[in-house]
Amino acid sequence: MSKIYPSENKRNELKPKGDDGCRLRPSTLTVWKRSSMSFQGTDGFTVFDQQGRLVFRVENYSRNHPCVAASGLVLMDGAGNALLSLKPQILSMQYQWNAYREEDDCGKSSPGCKVFSMRSSSMAFFGGGKDKAEVFVGSASGRGRQQRGTTPDFRIEGSFRNRNCKISNAEGQVVAKIARKRVMNSTVMLSDDVFSLVIQPGYSSELIMAFVIVLDRISTKPYTPALCS
């Protein structure tokens, strides 16, 4: 079986440059849509950096149990430390999810800790083959800004089902791309549960990875077409 992450001998050429006049290069993450826990019934993400190191993970045991799944997901670093708590918005007509930085002593997320809200840009997923998602960053993100017609901080479009999406900022600049991953030095595609996430310099890989996790949840809602498809 082919490795799903870059080989060790690529380290030097993949290292970002400093202030020596060389431009920083985009970072490429390899996303494996599978939990790092190998036993049956788990579901999640395992994410490697360009040196093959585990940098992010999501462990989920409840995707097929809606009452439990409503509690959301947790994005962790490679060591298992919680980074962001991702939770679906109750009774959302546009499949909105919210991300929180931390929880209080009772295990509840405070609105003041909200990092972003992400939703489908329309109530219907039928958009001529190119539906979109919108991301509003900050504690004031969500319904208030959306109702005022505020420009989203990020937009996502493409076909997540086909692993072909782009994430753009408010100015329309592409800051990250999702693409199918090829076997090293060949044109052979790996299965669609392994894909590349290329992130431009200056953007948080933690934040962009959280977008991908929510996109996966939105795009695979039962009995609805996939987001961006």
Side-chain angles (χ1 to χ4, degrees), residues 126-145:
F126 303 98
K130 183 174 283 190
D131 298 294
K132 299 178 181 179
E134 300 172 337
V135 181
F136 297 84
V137 176
S139 59
S141 61
R143 182 177 299 179
R145 288 183 59 190

Side-chain angles (χ1 to χ4, degrees), residues 149-194:
T150 305
T151 300
D153 296 288
F154 295 94
R155 295 181 186 273
I156 305 173
E157 61 180 351
S159 175
F160 185 71
R161 175 182 291 173
N162 296 322
R163 305 298 186 246
N164 182 20
C165 278
K166 65 179 181 179
I167 301 173
S168 304
N169 61 19
E171 290 73 41
Q173 300 169 325
V174 176
V175 302
K177 288 184 178 181
I178 298 169
R180 290 283 301 275
K181 190 172 181 65
R182 292 182 170 84
V183 175
M184 293 284 291
N185 301 319
S186 79
T187 59
V188 178
M189 292 282 192
L190 294 174
S191 61
D192 60 8
D193 64 342
V194 179

Side-chain angles (χ1 to χ4, degrees), residues 23-44:
R23 186 180 62 178
L24 291 174
R25 298 182 182 182
S27 61
T28 301
L29 301 179
T30 296
V31 183
W32 193 11
K33 198 177 169 319
R34 180 175 296 183
S35 168
S36 61
M37 308 295 289
S38 59
F39 53 85
Q40 188 175 7
T42 56
D43 168 45

Side-chain angles (χ1 to χ4, degrees), residues 215-229:
L215 184 62
D216 171 67
R217 269 11 192 200
I218 294 175
S219 69
T220 52
K221 261 211 171 289
Y223 312 114
T224 61
L227 178 70
C228 307
S229 62

Side-chain angles (χ1 to χ4, degrees), residues 30-193:
T30 296
V31 183
W32 193 11
K33 198 177 169 319
R34 180 175 296 183
S35 168
S36 61
M37 308 295 289
S38 59
F39 53 85
Q40 188 175 7
T42 56
D43 168 45
F45 290 87
T46 304
V47 185
F48 301 96
D49 68 7
Q50 294 160 304
Q51 285 77 47
R53 298 172 301 197
L54 178 63
V55 289
F56 298 119
R57 45 190 274 217
V58 175
E59 314 292 355
N60 179 43
Y61 313 97
S62 57
R63 185 162 188 161
N64 295 324
H65 303 278
C67 293
V68 180
S71 62
L73 301 168
V74 176
L75 173 63
M76 298 178 285
D77 63 18
N81 299 307
L83 300 174
L84 290 172
S85 177
L86 309 172
K87 299 187 176 185
Q89 179 76 35
I90 303 301
L91 301 179
S92 170
M93 294 297 293
Q94 294 177 264
Y95 308 140
Q96 177 172 313
W97 281 61
N98 303 315
Y100 301 90
R101 178 62 62 187
E102 58 186 15
E103 296 182 339
D104 61 22
D105 294 336
C106 298
K108 297 181 180 180
S109 298
S110 168
C113 297
K114 185 187 289 186
V115 178
F116 70 82
S117 291
M118 178 173 164
R119 65 167 195 173
S120 165
S121 59
S122 64
M123 294 184 184
F125 276 79
F126 303 98
K130 183 174 283 190
D131 298 294
K132 299 178 181 179
E134 300 172 337
V135 181
F136 297 84
V137 176
S139 59
S141 61
R143 182 177 299 179
R145 288 183 59 190
Q146 294 158 12
Q147 288 179 340
R148 291 194 299 269
T150 305
T151 300
D153 296 288
F154 295 94
R155 295 181 186 273
I156 305 173
E157 61 180 351
S159 175
F160 185 71
R161 175 182 291 173
N162 296 322
R163 305 298 186 246
N164 182 20
C165 278
K166 65 179 181 179
I167 301 173
S168 304
N169 61 19
E171 290 73 41
Q173 300 169 325
V174 176
V175 302
K177 288 184 178 181
I178 298 169
R180 290 283 301 275
K181 190 172 181 65
R182 292 182 170 84
V183 175
M184 293 284 291
N185 301 319
S186 79
T187 59
V188 178
M189 292 282 192
L190 294 174
S191 61
D192 60 8
D193 64 342

